[in-house]
Amino acid sequence: MKNFYFFLFLFLILFSCSNSNTDKDTLDINGLFTYTTPNCNNGGNPEINCILFIKFLDESTVDVLIDGGDIVYRTDYVINDGEINFSKKPGLNYDISFKIINETTLKHIQNDNIWLKSE
């Protein structure tokens, strides 16, 4: 009988612990996140953007303006272990991923830039 209580106690402890990554995986990130490029001067050229953005549209789709150009790409994303990973698409064929800091702050993994939620 002692073994039964020991295993019951151990079972309760193991399954009552929360996983912080799970909290970040279910975090509601829908909305617009922006990053302002430091010392950016577009010289009045509307094809050069100093403010980059990612707009999370739903649980799997995002619009991306990330390279300073004027083309907004739509792609899919997944959240896993507190990281957001974008799918590669034509024109957007490089790795884009973010670490979720909190519900209003993301860190671009490839260059450590901090992106803030705007809406």
Side-chain angles (χ1 to χ4, degrees), residues 27-47:
L27 189 66
D28 180 18
I29 60 165
N30 284 345
L32 181 71
F33 287 79
T34 61
Y35 173 76
T36 302
T37 307
N39 304 315
C40 180
N41 181 359
N42 67 1
N45 184 347
E47 293 179 1

Side-chain angles (χ1 to χ4, degrees), residues 1-118:
M1 193 63 143
K2 281 184 174 181
N3 286 339
F4 172 76
Y5 288 119
F6 173 75
F7 286 114
L8 179 62
F9 178 73
L10 185 61
F11 176 80
L12 291 174
I13 288 175
L14 290 175
F15 287 99
S16 66
C17 297
S18 69
N19 183 347
S20 61
N21 287 338
T22 301
D23 296 341
K24 287 185 178 182
D25 290 346
T26 60
L27 189 66
D28 180 18
I29 60 165
N30 284 345
L32 181 71
F33 287 79
T34 61
Y35 173 76
T36 302
T37 307
N39 304 315
C40 180
N41 181 359
N42 67 1
N45 184 347
E47 293 179 1
I48 299 173
N49 287 289
C50 295
I51 299 175
L52 311 178
F53 72 83
I54 50 178
K55 182 162 178 114
F56 294 94
L57 304 173
D58 56 34
E59 295 81 27
S60 65
T61 310
V62 64
D63 283 343
V64 180
L65 178 67
I66 199 161
D67 61 4
D70 65 341
I71 298 174
V72 177
Y73 298 97
R74 181 163 288 175
T75 191
D76 300 321
Y77 72 92
V78 294
I79 299 175
N80 190 18
D81 292 330
E83 287 186 6
I84 306 166
N85 295 296
F86 293 4
S87 298
K88 292 181 181 180
K89 299 276 180 153
L92 190 66
N93 58 357
Y94 50 90
D95 291 328
I96 301 172
S97 53
F98 289 86
K99 179 178 180 184
I100 299 171
I101 305 299
N102 58 41
E103 61 189 20
T104 61
T105 309
L106 303 176
K107 181 178 180 181
H108 190 208
I109 292 173
Q110 285 73 27
N111 58 26
D112 292 334
N113 293 334
I114 300 296
W115 293 56
L116 301 174
K117 192 167 192 174
S118 297

